[in-house]
Amino acid sequence: MRTDQFQSHDYYLMDELLTEEHKLVRDTARAWVKREVSPIIEDYYEQGKFPKQLIPGLGEIGAFGPYIPEEYGGAGMDQIAYGIIMQELERCDSGLRSTASVQSSLVMYPIYKFGSEEQRKKYLPKLASGEMIGCFGLTEPDHGSNPGGMLSNFKDMGDHYLLNGSKMWISNSPFADIAVVWAKNEEGRIHGLIVERGMEGFTTPEIKGKWSLRASDTGELVFDNVKVPKENLLPGKSGLGAPLMCLDSARYGIAWGAIGAALDCYDSALRYSKERQQFGKPIAAFQLQQKKLAEMITEITKAQLLTFRLGQLREEGRATTAQISMAKRNNVNMAIEIAREARQIHGGMGITNEYPIMRHMMNLESVITYEGTHDIHLLITGHDITGEAAFK
Ligand code: TGC
Ligand code: FAD
């Protein structure tokens, strides 16, 4: 069992920008992660399972719907607090952060933003506590980066909707109680529907054989003439813009989360470089290793500044999709590069599960692909600065 020796790094004194509440949220989340998750994460990663016993604890630290108002069971916190929690979770494992991101930004957010009052009251408090787990179905086998081309569809049958189609690569689908599913109506307009486990014709096969995000369960959603009650349609918004708004929120959380993974790799590499002796001195004394470490902390610090400002803009309702894309793309790429360098600093030990490096590195290969690939986010920036969309 690995002892979690993590100590955070704050080169530009970012702590001074945080409120007392932010610090409390961070310290609570960090202590919980160290106590409950770090001792078991390697084991669950090897088994390829999400540790479901952590779900109530995630609810207790406010990781499910941190910014959802308290009247619906959320924690009523601000966007910076949301980001801080995502950072603390992903500092331990991207799969842990994934579960909180999906529940908060891809399930609770659309129900809160586009749901009816009855839907909010029925689902949000249970999702906030973890009594109920949700998943988000946008991607399909043949429509990943291009979700607008989706084939999943529903027909109005008078007293219910009839849903057909399938979704692929869905985080938490194998055990989720509900799925927020995006499908087209007879006019080809995209709507969100809440599909509940147990509805006839609805299955959630697990995807096996992942080398990445192994401590997170991923699966499909299959709809074979599923009768969905009419009151399960999200009435507040239709069109591709609705799921893309949810992605803005989740991508923002990932931008923070990736800093957590990078900090963990840097922290481990710094400690190892001071302890490991070669040629009669610590490897930290060699210029080549110092270059790696100095560049790591520089990139982490730049990402911290970028992301904190993004959080302020988001809190003011001014962050654009393109700004969020820039942060998600930059930070995940930064984290993956740092994981690779940290792996080298650890030498042979870096490939073992005594250190978290390879696990972070493999996780980040999913994070750089989901919620919009590295290339798609570059194209979003390109579109924003030139006015020319190069997707099609
Ligand atoms: P495009 O023509 O640009 O837009 C379609 C309509 O949507 C509107 N819109 C937005 N509205 C609100 N908020 C936003 N952020 C919006 N972005 C766009 C837009 O104005 C338009 O409206 P209208 O009225 O004109 O129809 O759409 P496009 O088809 O060209 O696609 C653009 C593109 C490629 C950028 C987009 O589709 C995209 O982002 N693709 C990547 C797909 C993706 O990120 N999938 C993620 C799936 S979920 C996931 O990965 C969860 S992992 C979770 C985990 O475990 O953490
Ligand atoms: P593709 O879209 O087929 O892309 C393949 C390659 O082509 C990429 O490099 C891409 O950048 C490139 N490409 C595509 N289009 C263009 C273009 N126009 N110009 C240039 N290059 C292009 N989805 C959900 O809905 N819910 C979830 O909970 C969820 N969880 C996930 C969990 C995991 C572990 C993973 C791996 C994925 C998850 N996804 C989820 C799906 C994820 O969002 C998609 O994998 C992602 O959007 C990319 O789609 P794709 O895999 O089909 O790749």
Side-chain angles (χ1 to χ4, degrees):
M1 190 187 296
R2 180 170 71 97
T3 313
D4 187 345
Q5 300 179 63
F6 175 74
Q7 287 180 354
S8 199
H9 301 272
D10 181 19
Y11 208 72
Y12 261 50
L13 312 182
M14 301 288 293
D15 254 25
E16 293 176 11
L17 302 177
L18 302 181
T19 63
E20 288 310 310
E21 189 190 4
H22 292 149
K23 289 181 202 164
L24 183 65
V25 165
R26 181 199 53 203
D27 294 347
T28 306
R30 188 173 297 167
W32 179 80
V33 163
K34 282 196 170 197
R35 191 177 66 243
E36 304 291 336
V37 197
S38 300
I40 61 167
I41 193 65
E42 296 292 351
D43 194 27
Y44 277 81
Y45 201 86
E46 272 188 38
Q47 290 178 45
K49 279 199 226 155
F50 174 70
K52 296 193 193 71
Q53 69 275 26
L54 298 175
I55 288 171
L58 282 164
E60 278 162 28
I61 63 164
F64 293 152
Y67 54 81
I68 298 291
E70 286 169 285
E71 63 174 305
Y72 299 112
M77 293 190 270
D78 67 9
Q79 289 292 316
I80 302 279
Y82 166 49
I84 288 171
I85 296 175
M86 297 303 115
Q87 179 178 298
E88 292 305 318
L89 298 181
E90 193 147 7
R91 202 279 298 165
C92 182
D93 192 83
S94 302
L96 186 67
R97 195 268 309 135
S98 255
T99 291
S101 292
V102 171
Q103 184 91 337
S104 302
S105 289
L106 301 182
V107 179
M108 295 178 73
Y109 176 84
I111 293 175
Y112 173 63
K113 208 76 185 168
F114 317 133
S116 65
E117 193 53 24
E118 291 72 36
Q119 290 167 342
R120 290 174 172 183
K121 286 192 176 129
K122 178 174 176 188
Y123 297 107
L124 291 178
K126 288 185 180 166
L127 289 163
S129 66
E131 195 182 325
M132 192 179 256
I133 287 289
C135 65
F136 175 87
L138 181 64
T139 306
E140 298 189 350
D142 294 327
H143 299 93
S145 297
N146 177 25
M150 69 174 67
L151 300 175
S152 292
N153 64 87
F154 63 98
K155 288 195 176 107
D156 189 335
M157 306 302 281
D159 62 341
H160 64 270
Y161 297 118
L162 200 62
L163 177 64
N164 278 289
S166 65
K167 298 287 174 181
M168 179 82 176
W169 293 116
I170 307 305
S171 298
N172 296 343
S173 87
F175 66 93
D177 303 290
I178 61 168
V180 170
V181 176
W182 301 93
K184 287 179 177 167
N185 68 8
E186 284 145 293
E187 287 79 51
R189 185 90 183 149
I190 294 172
H191 286 265
L193 297 156
I194 302 170
V195 180
E196 299 188 13
R197 184 171 295 285
M199 287 181 177
E200 208 179 323
F202 174 42
T203 48
T204 60
E206 186 171 355
I207 296 172
K208 300 271 193 194
K210 289 184 300 161
W211 286 114
S212 171
L213 221 72
R214 287 182 57 76
S216 166
D217 295 354
T218 316
E220 298 171 49
L221 301 173
V222 182
F223 316 107
D224 180 9
N225 286 320
V226 181
K227 285 183 182 175
V228 180
K230 285 204 150 172
E231 63 265 25
N232 283 28
L233 183 104
L234 297 177
K237 188 169 168 70
S238 63
L240 187 58
L244 290 179
M245 275 175 72
C246 305
L247 295 184
D248 279 352
S249 178
R251 290 167 177 173
Y252 165 73
I254 291 175
W256 278 90
I259 296 173
L263 277 169
D264 203 35
C265 292
Y266 169 73
D267 179 59
S268 184
L270 182 63
R271 192 172 317 104
Y272 189 83
S273 71
K274 290 178 183 175
E275 288 165 5
R276 177 71 177 166
Q277 303 255 339
Q278 287 295 294
F279 299 95
K281 53 184 181 181
I283 59 170
F286 296 116
Q287 286 184 355
L288 283 174
Q289 305 313 314
Q290 288 189 5
K291 178 173 186 289
K292 288 187 173 73
L293 292 162
E295 286 177 351
M296 283 183 196
I297 193 62
T298 306
E299 290 306 316
I300 288 171
T301 304
K302 281 154 66 180
Q304 285 171 327
L305 290 163
L306 176 78
T307 313
F308 187 83
R309 177 63 184 145
L310 182 65
Q312 289 178 322
L313 291 174
R314 199 154 163 81
E315 185 61 22
E316 293 166 10
R318 294 198 292 144
T320 66
T321 296
Q323 287 169 335
I324 295 168
S325 276
M326 183 184 279
K328 190 270 183 184
R329 181 175 186 274
N330 177 76
N331 293 8
V332 177
N333 195 57
M334 172 278 296
I336 220 166
E337 293 293 337
I338 284 179
R340 287 176 185 146
E341 294 286 53
R343 217 289 304 144
Q344 293 199 54
I345 290 177
H346 287 76
M349 288 309 291
I351 71 157
T352 71
N353 68 1
E354 276 195 43
Y355 296 89
I357 315 296
M358 279 295 283
R359 184 166 48 76
H360 281 307
M361 198 197 296
M362 291 193 288
N363 280 339
L364 289 161
E365 292 292 343
S366 283
V367 184
I368 205 164
T369 289
Y370 69 35
E371 298 272 6
T373 66
H374 191 62
D375 291 339
I376 288 293
H377 286 297
L378 178 124
L379 294 177
I380 291 174
T381 306
H383 183 194
D384 192 50
I385 58 178
T386 66
E388 302 281 351
F391 306 107
K392 297 170 191 166

